[in-house]
Amino acid sequence: MVLNPVISKLAGKLVVLASASPRRLEILRSAGLRFEVVPSWFKETLDKGLFKAPYEYAVETAKQKALEVARRMPFKHLKTPDIVIGADTIVTVDGMILEKPVDKHDAYRMLSSLSGKEHSVFTGVAIVLCHEKENEEVDYQLIDFYEETKVKFADLSEDMLWEYINSGEPMDKAGGYGIQALGGMLVEYVHGDFLNVVGFPLNHFCKQLDLIYNFCTSSLKSTSSRSDSLATSVPTQPPSSSQALLSHNSSSIPRPSSPCDSQRLHTQITPTASPAHKVKREDSESESSQTLVNSTSKHTDNRKVKLHDNATLPLVTRRGQVVEPTRGDLERISELMDGFKASKALFTASKLCLFDLLHSRPGLDAAQVAQEIKASAKGTECLLEACVSLGLLKSTEKACQKPVYENADLATDFLRSDASFSLHGYLQHCNETMWPLFSHLESAVQEGTSQREKAFSKHMLQAASTSSREGKLRFMKAMHNIAKITGKTIATAFDLSTYKSACDLGGCTGALAYEFTEAHPGLSVTVFDLPAVVELNEFFRPQHPDNRVSFVAGDFLKDELPKADLYILARILHDLPDEKVHILLSKIADACTAGCGLLLSEIFLDEDRRGPSRGLLQALSMSEGKQRSATEYSLLLKSHGFITAHIRHTDNLLDAMLCIKA
Ligand SMILES: O=c1[nH]cc([C@@H]2O[C@H](COP(=O)(O)OP(=O)(O)OP(=O)(O)O)[C@@H](O)[C@H]2O)c(=O)[nH]1
């Protein structure tokens, strides 16, 4: 087909790349496209077994990535994009689908399976066109396609494989290699679009844009005008994997004859609502559910259905209709049922310092580990095997020998007590304080109050509470861990170059303050916290403390606040009852002159309060405080004279908001 100019057709439109891949960003930027990047939160967990061909899996994943961003933006970013682009790259060899390796061993498994062979690289791409309607609802039109490129690898020696793996390059790349960099050494030939291997089939994308903007305008318009009748028949939520497969076939809308017909192009219209309107979930599920019902009704005689991997499962009913339980549904429900076991296994392994042990002495067998952690052989073996199944440990078995264990990357990065981003202290806090509290959740829900008294005996209450030295140190370690993980993201969320002095209220060990001084050379930060906290700070001082960070002891609810032109409140407000929130905000407002800043960092709930689960689950601990959305925080701060200048929803554990005193 003759290609016409297309990139200019997108000028003036809000184009969003729903991808965290630096390569996709680079490819599209080099093509002259202007766009925003909003990485998708869609987890790449569709059940591959449910797709007839590998490209269908890549296309469906790309579709879900793009739709997740298209649906999130009106709520979280308070704007509706015109176009959202999602992509997913996979490698297939010998009937297997290879994605990004989870660790070095996985990379080895992938690369050795590619050695000396030709394989296919598929990139699925989804283009979601968003149409805001007059009633503020949004229609989504979906165009998807895929591109295949064949790549042949040379025979690779073990040394070559490990040298390449140890370069670190494979880890965030489909199939475990980057053809554009060191991975290029491994490749004998490429048949097809090179950029498709790198992560984005630019040429095919431009051809699709050409079809959309230069040929199909009228057909798209006519499809769009059908949106009302289709609006209630397509799910507003990502379908489960089997639904995904079915809706793939069922909701494609045949187009009028046009140049588009020669392309594998289909359109799906999915309505949702902008923030002012609740998403109509209930009444918009029917088409794919309907398809499910139809497709399963023929199985109702023997009350068993076959899943794609030949497993047989009983039928279940949904709203009076008999439907198949999908593998995805069953996995999800088991995950929820067993979640508490996984958490407790993690807390226990962390408390027994298993990850520290296997870091200093990788390759121990279960008996050796049991001896070191002074635990039973049987219990240790169960714990080690559970940790392997959870992806925290790796085990290797040599012929006729017992398996030996070492940390998986996740444990090395987060679970060692001396890792830069260690969560060891936070896990101890979860184990000692949150676990007993949550085991009284039923009463907490019935009574709507914290269950501290019930959860802890008098002695334990003392140890668990922050009034004992032990409890205080444990709590400080937990806060220190979270501040280390989130600190850089919060400190760099906004341009703070106009501020010279900041005060981190309840800044605990100063971990966040040090991130701020590191990110902003002209800034000094005072950490203001209770005297007992400041006293214990010596345990957390960095090796080379920045002298622009100082500590002042005091109670932010009672004492005069240190003078500053930026106040920082990180993870404070959600834990305070309303009256204390107002006392604190009034004190900050009094200390501020016009133009002073207030940087708030919390988990911001979605505006419809449907997520994120982290925030909503935290609320179940029934502390005296509450979880709020960004808008709720904005209004709260506005009532104390602070105008919200910027809101940043981050991919880290906390979000951030910068407000200015009017
Ligand atoms: O030769 C190369 N092959 C592949 C890549 C990169 O691999 C990843 C593929 O992963 P995925 O499609 O899941 O995309 P993510 O990186 O996770 O980003 P999303 O946010 O879009 O999910 C992709 O980054 C390719 O660029 C490569 O670099 N070279």
Side-chain angles (χ1 to χ4, degrees), residues 600-628:
L600 178 82
S601 181
E602 292 281 357
I603 299 170
F604 295 158
L605 292 188
D606 295 345
E607 296 300 332
D608 60 5
R609 295 185 77 84
R610 287 183 176 156
S613 294
R614 259 178 326 106
L616 296 160
L617 292 175
Q618 181 163 297
L620 283 175
S621 64
M622 301 286 164
S623 78
E624 295 173 293
K626 60 165 113 98
Q627 301 290 329
R628 298 172 175 87

Side-chain angles (χ1 to χ4, degrees), residues 17-24 27 38-40 42 44 61 65 86-91 99-100 121 123 172-181 194 196-200:
L17 175 62
S19 172
S21 166
R23 277 75 55 179
R24 293 195 180 116
I27 292 171
V38 179
S40 180
F42 177 73
E44 296 171 34
T61 305
K65 286 182 188 179
D88 190 66
T89 303
I90 57 167
V91 165
E99 296 183 278
K100 290 161 291 191
V121 181
T123 298
D172 59 345
K173 313 218 167 49
Y177 70 95
I179 197 166
Q180 71 279 18
F194 179 85
N196 183 50
V197 184
V198 183
F200 199 81

